[in-house]
Amino acid sequence: MVPENVLRMQAEWHAAAQPAADVDDFLPAELRVPSHDQIAGQMMPWPQPIVLDGDVVACEGCGAYRDWIIIATNDQVWLRCRAGHQQRERRLTTAWYNRNSRPADATHATFEDCLRHLGH
């Protein structure tokens, strides 16, 4: 037979081992960074030429080689020229994008709103 004080200690230990109730004591919603499921992608301006493997990347549509918008979405990187042509750049990764981008200064409801914000 187990002494009563041992049973009481076991009950207290079991109660203490239960996970604490979730408490939302983080930042207020308006100050939080949107989660990945709320963001379709990220964009940044890239005014200078992009040189990959010794070659200057040019737009497949018009030949432009500078003043890009670099788009990272769905684990892919796309380039958009000033004329609005877009091409996937397989030599760039989202890891490259993350290393070279700055913190986001705004979020936008639409792709077009973001382009306007970036001056395109």
Side-chain angles (χ1 to χ4, degrees):
M1 186 156 186
V2 180
E4 187 175 322
N5 63 340
V6 172
L7 290 173
R8 191 173 332 115
M9 286 174 32
Q10 286 177 340
E12 289 171 5
W13 177 80
H14 181 70
Q18 296 300 315
D22 287 337
V23 176
D24 190 9
D25 61 354
F26 195 63
L27 293 170
E30 65 272 10
L31 298 178
R32 296 180 193 181
V33 174
S35 65
H36 289 289
D37 60 340
Q38 295 171 314
I39 298 177
Q42 298 178 331
M43 293 186 218
M44 69 175 167
W46 195 270
Q48 63 268 22
I50 299 172
V51 180
L52 300 173
D53 302 326
D55 296 323
V56 175
V57 177
C59 175
E60 296 167 354
C62 64
Y65 62 92
R66 62 176 66 226
D67 198 17
W68 298 102
I69 293 291
I70 301 179
I71 305 162
T73 184
N74 297 323
D75 230 8
Q76 299 174 353
V77 175
W78 293 76
L79 304 177
R80 180 182 172 100
C81 73
R82 174 80 54 186
H85 303 119
Q86 291 180 185
Q87 63 196 46
R88 183 170 176 199
E89 181 48 71
R90 296 179 190 278
R91 295 173 288 181
L92 297 179
T93 64
T94 52
W96 177 91
Y97 181 92
N98 290 335
R99 283 191 309 272
N100 289 281
S101 64
R102 297 179 181 150
D105 64 350
T107 56
H108 303 279
T110 68
F111 181 76
E112 291 75 20
D113 287 345
C114 189
L115 288 173
R116 275 191 293 280
H117 174 76
L118 295 174
H120 271 246

